[in-house]
Amino acid sequence: MSDTPKLHYFNISYGRSEAIRLAFIYGNLPFEYNTFSFPEWPAIKPTAPWGTAPWLDVKQGQIGQTQAILRYVGKQTGLYPKDDFEAAKVDELLCALEDVTGVLRPIFQEQDPAKKKELQEATLKGDLKNSLERYERNLQQSQSNFAVGSSPSITDLSIFVIRRAHMLSWVPTSFWDNFKRFNQITEAVAQLPALQAELSKQQQQQQQQS
Amino acid sequence: MSTTQVPKLTYFNAPARAEPIRLAFYYGGLAFEDKRIEMKEWPGTLKAAAPWGTLPTLELEQGVIGQSGAMLRFVGKKTNLYPKDDFEAAQVDDLIGGFDDLVIALRPAIVEQDPAKKKEYQTAALGDMKNYLEKIERFLQQNKSSKFCVGSGPTIADLKIFTFINAAPAFPWIPTDYFTSYTRINEVYQAVGQLQKIKDYYASRQEAK
C-alpha cells in the first residue's frame, strides 16, 4: 500500500465522501481521490472491504465504514476532540445525523417524479421536520458556533455537507430558517480559512456547469 | 442539576444495546449505576427527558450521552477496551459498524406482526445476515495477534459480538449454531466468555435473580 491515503467513492457530489474529503483538506493532509460511476460499481464492489463506498486505503490496510474513516482522518487533522466526553458528544451527534438522512432515503429511491414530489412534501412536514427539531434541540448545548466545544469537528463538516448538498436543493431555504444552530454551524464551516480555497473552487465548478 | 457521583446507565431490564456497555464498565472495574427500568415507566417524563427519546442514556458529570455507540466508545477508552492506535481503533469502529448493519437486517423479521410475512422476513434475514457474517469472518481472519477481534486483547468489538450471540436464543427461528459455525466468530465468542471479569459479571447477575 502506498503511503498516501486513497479515498474511493461514487462520482457524485456531496455524498458520504465529502466530509472526509473536507477533513483531509482542512488538515492539509495529502490524499488521492478515486471515483467511479454507478454502472461500474458491481465490478468494483468485491474489492471494497465491506462491499460499500466510501472506503479508504491507508498504509496499514483498509477502512470501510464512513464513520470509522471520518474518525480516523479527524484524529490526524485536529477535527476530533482529545477530551473523551467531547469526543463522545461528537460521536453522538454524528450517529444521530444518520437518523436525519435516513428519512430522506425513500425520496432518493423514488423514481416516479409525481410520487417523488408527494414524498418530498410529506417528509418536509413530517419526518424531516421532526428529526431536525430533535437534532436542533441537541445542538443547543455548545458554547461556540461549532457543534461541540470551541473548535470544528467531523460532526460540523458532516452537518455542512448535508445542509449544502445539491441533492437537498428541493428543500426551501425558509424550511432551514427554523433550524438556527444547524445553519449557524454550516456558516461557521463555510468561513473556515482552511477550506476557502476548496469551497471557492467548488463554487466555480458549479457555475461552469450551470 | 446535581452532579452525578458515578456514571448512570439507564436501560430496560434486558441486554440488547446496553449489555456491551455494562460489560465494559464491569470489565474495567469502573463503578457505575446499572439502572434498569420497567417498560411501563418509559413513556412519559423519562422519554421526554432522554436527548433522543431513546434508551440507553448515560449520565455523566459533564452531561448526558444518548447514543449507545458513543457510550460504548467512551467507556471503552476508560477501560482499556479501545485501541490507542488510530488504525486499530478504525478497525474496531469498522467491526462495530458492520455489526450494526447486521442487526438492522434483523429488524423487519422482529417487528413484523403478520405471521406469514414474519416467516418470509425471517427467511430473508437469515440470508441477509450471512452476507454480513461472511464479511465479519473474513475481517477477523486478518488478526494474527490474538483470538480477539483486533490486536492482542479484548475490545468493545469483542463485547459487541459476544453479547449479540448470547442474546440470539431469544430468537428461536435462528438456528443454535448459526453464528458460532463461523470459526473466528466462535473463537471471539469463546475467548470473551473465558475472561474472568465476564464470568464474574454473569455470576453476579444470577445472584441478582
Side-chain angles (χ1 to χ4, degrees):
Chain A
M1 290 274 178
S2 122
D3 271 19
T4 308
K6 188 167 178 181
L7 182 64
H8 303 260
Y9 192 57
F10 297 101
N11 59 355
I12 58 172
S13 136
Y14 274 57
R16 286 180 171 282
S17 70
E18 192 62 16
I20 301 166
R21 286 190 66 254
L22 293 178
F24 272 118
I25 290 166
Y26 175 87
N28 203 25
L29 215 60
F31 72 107
E32 287 170 44
Y33 190 49
N34 171 53
T35 61
F36 40 81
S37 65
F38 285 102
E40 289 175 286
W41 175 237
I44 294 174
K45 189 176 156 85
T47 66
W50 289 90
T52 55
W55 80 89
L56 184 71
D57 297 332
V58 294
K59 194 167 57 173
Q60 307 94 316
Q62 298 180 305
I63 307 170
Q65 295 276 334
T66 309
Q67 284 190 30
I69 301 170
L70 261 175
R71 219 171 268 120
Y72 176 84
V73 180
K75 286 174 190 173
Q76 301 185 11
T77 52
L79 288 166
Y80 192 72
K82 291 207 162 46
D83 175 76
D84 288 346
F85 179 75
E86 284 193 2
K89 285 315 259 182
V90 166
D91 288 347
E92 180 191 26
L93 286 168
L94 201 58
C95 253
L97 216 46
E98 296 273 345
D99 293 335
V100 173
T101 53
V103 315
L104 298 168
R105 206 158 294 130
I107 298 173
F108 295 144
Q109 289 170 347
E110 181 55 62
Q111 300 298 327
D112 175 77
K115 284 202 187 129
K116 203 175 176 87
K117 196 141 187 19
E118 245 183 75
L119 253 180
Q120 285 174 354
E121 280 166 18
T123 309
L124 212 58
K125 287 192 199 115
D127 287 346
L128 188 60
K129 176 172 175 289
N130 293 336
S131 64
L132 275 172
E133 274 173 0
R134 186 181 288 287
Y135 200 85
E136 182 78 5
R137 275 201 299 275
N138 279 277
L139 287 175
Q140 296 308 313
Q141 301 155 32
S142 171
Q143 303 308 311
S144 75
N145 284 348
F146 299 109
V148 177
S150 47
S151 53
S153 72
I154 50 180
T155 293
D156 298 292
L157 296 185
S158 303
I159 289 172
F160 172 85
V161 168
I162 289 170
R163 177 65 182 86
R164 291 287 183 93
H166 315 306
M167 289 182 254
L168 289 184
S169 55
W170 55 271
V171 178
T173 312
S174 56
F175 176 82
W176 290 111
D177 287 345
N178 296 310
F179 307 106
K180 292 191 161 34
R181 283 285 284 140
F182 213 84
N183 276 343
Q184 189 183 47
I185 287 167
T186 302
E187 261 320 292
V189 170
Q191 299 303 322
L192 287 169
L195 292 182
Q196 290 314 299
E198 171 65 17
L199 295 180
S200 302
K201 189 167 76 173
Q202 288 180 6
Q203 254 188 324
Q204 280 168 17
Q205 284 170 346
Q206 245 197 298
Q207 282 161 6
Q208 280 165 8
Q209 282 165 9
S210 51
Chain B
M1 190 179 11
S2 65
T3 48
T4 317
Q5 288 296 321
V6 291
K8 180 170 157 185
L9 179 70
T10 305
Y11 194 61
F12 304 106
N13 186 19
R17 289 180 176 282
E19 200 72 349
I21 304 165
R22 292 172 178 139
L23 282 184
F25 271 118
Y26 210 84
Y27 176 84
L30 213 59
F32 77 110
E33 189 186 333
D34 183 3
K35 181 144 178 73
R36 297 169 186 243
I37 66 166
E38 302 291 317
M39 276 290 180
K40 62 175 191 284
E41 291 177 70
W42 175 229
T45 44
L46 259 181
K47 187 171 163 76
W52 305 95
T54 56
L55 290 181
T57 56
L58 182 64
E59 292 167 59
L60 303 161
E61 234 175 312
Q62 308 95 316
V64 184
I65 310 282
Q67 294 278 334
S68 59
M71 288 175 221
L72 190 55
R73 201 168 286 107
F74 177 85
V75 181
K77 287 175 189 174
K78 304 269 187 217
T79 53
N80 202 30
L81 287 167
Y82 192 71
K84 292 204 164 44
D85 175 76
D86 289 349
F87 181 70
E88 283 192 6
Q91 293 203 293
V92 167
D93 288 351
D94 258 9
L95 262 175
I96 289 183
F99 222 83
D100 283 341
D101 289 342
L102 185 158
V103 172
I104 288 172
L106 263 181
R107 208 157 283 155
I110 297 172
V111 163
E112 180 60 50
Q113 299 299 321
D114 173 74
K117 275 206 189 127
K118 200 174 176 75
K119 198 104 183 49
E120 244 184 75
Y121 287 154
Q122 285 171 355
T123 311
L126 287 173
D128 287 343
M129 283 198 292
K130 271 207 187 318
N131 290 330
Y132 293 108
L133 289 169
E134 278 161 14
K135 286 200 188 87
I136 291 167
E137 177 73 7
R138 265 203 308 275
F139 186 97
L140 295 178
Q141 283 163 0
Q142 292 171 43
N143 188 21
K144 311 294 184 197
S145 311
S146 77
K147 292 197 155 91
F148 297 105
C149 290
V150 175
S152 50
T155 65
I156 50 178
D158 299 278
L159 296 186
K160 191 114 176 148
I161 291 177
F162 176 80
T163 53
F164 180 76
I165 295 177
N166 252 3
F171 310 112
W173 51 275
I174 301 181
T176 326
D177 67 344
Y178 186 76
F179 302 105
T180 49
S181 60
Y182 293 89
T183 311
R184 277 291 286 134
I185 292 175
N186 185 47
E187 215 171 38
V188 163
Y189 179 66
Q190 299 298 333
V192 175
Q194 291 307 307
L195 292 168
Q196 193 55 52
K197 286 279 184 180
I198 304 302
K199 287 189 194 174
D200 290 347
Y201 171 79
Y202 286 105
S204 75
R205 292 304 308 161
Q206 282 300 327
E207 283 159 22
K209 287 183 188 158

